[in-house]
Amino acid sequence: MAWFKKTRKPIAAKEKASRVPEGLWVKCPGCAQIIYNKDLATNLNVCPKCAHHFRIGAADRLRMLFDEGEWVEHDRGLTSTDPLRFTDTKPYKDRLKTSIETTGLRDAVIVGSGRLDGIRSVAAAMEYSFIGGSMGVVVGEKITRAVERALDQRQPLVVVCCSGGARMMEGALSLMQMAKICAALARLDRARVPFVSVLTDPTTGGVTASFAMLGDLNIAEPKALIGFAGPRVIEQTIRQKLPEGFQRSEFLLEKGMLDMVVDRREMKATIAGALRFMGARRDPDALGTAAVPVALAAVSDDAVSR
Ligand SMILES: [Zn+2]
């Protein structure tokens, strides 16, 4: 019980009207530098002073990856049917409705195909502001279809992960997506079509435990939180203090969980270079020559069946 009790509500302080228009400047959480919003946008939302990577949306991700920021979107219309009629502090249906209104998306992932530095590719990017980028049935299905599309067209696949994990409002159905996507990725692997996984802040839970870590190349952005369970849960379980920088990209790279940590400004060039190394070819259409749609060097049947 408290010693003192406030019987009256404190007087609300009047906020002084600011002369600076809202949203023009951003304070960097890394170095406390005040950055002009437009400067930040032209720098791919990376702080020009300390290279802090700000979180960006799924559409911005795809814009960053695809040439001229153009892509053809797939399976846009899929929405969750709320199969469990789930309610926590508020009904899941309402949460979905709010997220659809605020993000303009139907669920937490955008899938598209286009050219990545001239290479015809399929890419998916997750949207954190849609219920924490959580993976429900729709996200699972869209990513699976993206994998299948990549397989059909023999085009490399890039998935940009940004997720809090499986969507608890869809219970076991969301967990099944892990197995479904992994099975599709296994088929992609057998067909020798490259898959690059890009892990951004944050990539946790069921997403880390499934496709995020299954790339032929797992690339992370600097200082991204990547893990399965949160540090507090782990500390309580193992009853030990966790080391400095635990679950951050650089730590995971050192421990062999990741292949590379790449600055966002070099991400596209790095992915394109890796895809070319893995056998992907530039689409001749992109260079304005005769159409020979060969995205990947064909592999003979002997090599495919292992
Ligand atoms: Zn900074």
Side-chain angles (χ1 to χ4, degrees), residues 7-180:
T7 47
R8 279 178 296 172
K9 279 188 181 156
I11 305 160
K14 262 191 190 170
E15 270 190 37
K16 267 190 190 169
S18 166
R19 275 181 297 156
V20 182
E22 192 74 22
L24 257 186
W25 302 85
V26 196
K27 189 174 177 181
C28 170
C31 64
Q33 171 94 348
I34 309 288
I35 316 162
Y36 187 43
N37 230 342
K38 275 188 182 161
D39 290 344
L40 196 61
T42 51
N43 207 30
L44 296 176
N45 282 282
V46 176
C47 171
K49 199 179 166 204
C50 74
H52 171 81
H53 284 49
F54 286 80
R55 204 169 278 167
I56 58 171
D60 284 334
R61 286 280 172 200
L62 294 186
R63 223 167 277 137
M64 200 183 91
L65 286 177
F66 286 126
D67 299 350
E68 278 97 48
E70 283 173 13
W71 69 87
V72 180
E73 190 175 344
H74 306 298
D75 309 311
R76 183 179 170 78
L78 295 185
T79 38
S80 172
T81 55
D82 184 15
L84 306 180
R85 297 204 181 89
F86 191 89
T87 303
D88 47 274
T89 50
K90 64 177 185 179
Y92 176 41
K93 259 211 160 72
D94 293 354
R95 274 184 204 282
L96 279 172
K97 209 171 146 232
T98 324
S99 290
I100 290 170
E101 276 163 14
T102 53
T103 61
L105 303 176
R106 296 296 189 86
D107 216 298
V109 70
I110 306 180
V111 177
S113 50
R115 290 193 183 95
L116 197 157
D117 199 19
I119 304 165
R120 278 183 185 274
S121 327
V122 180
M126 302 184 81
E127 175 60 60
Y128 193 77
S129 47
F130 198 108
I131 318 186
S134 54
M135 172 174 60
V137 173
V138 173
V139 170
E141 180 62 22
K142 282 176 89 167
I143 293 183
T144 308
R145 288 189 191 182
V147 179
E148 286 167 351
R149 193 177 295 272
L151 185 60
D152 265 5
Q153 321 264 334
R154 292 199 66 81
Q155 288 177 5
L157 174 71
V158 179
V159 179
V160 184
C161 310
C162 182
S163 172
R167 188 172 295 171
M168 65 159 194
M169 296 86 159
E170 292 183 8
L173 295 170
S174 68
L175 297 180
M176 285 176 194
Q177 306 311 312
M178 297 165 65
K180 185 167 83 181

Side-chain angles (χ1 to χ4, degrees), residues 196-200 216-224 226 248-254 256-263 266-267 269-275 277-278:
V196 174
S197 174
V198 180
L199 297 93
T200 69
D216 294 308
L217 198 63
N218 298 324
I219 310 176
E221 282 192 341
K223 296 201 181 101
I226 299 162
R248 294 284 163 185
S249 323
E250 293 74 12
F251 185 87
L252 295 174
L253 178 72
E254 196 190 307
M257 293 278 285
L258 296 172
D259 300 304
M260 291 165 117
V261 175
V262 175
D263 191 292
E266 277 136 39
M267 191 60 86
T270 309
I271 295 173
L275 291 180
F277 178 77
M278 290 189 255

Side-chain angles (χ1 to χ4, degrees), residues 201-222:
D201 183 68
T203 300
T204 55
V207 171
T208 314
S210 60
F211 59 92
M213 286 293 180
L214 291 180
D216 294 308
L217 198 63
N218 298 324
I219 310 176
E221 282 192 341

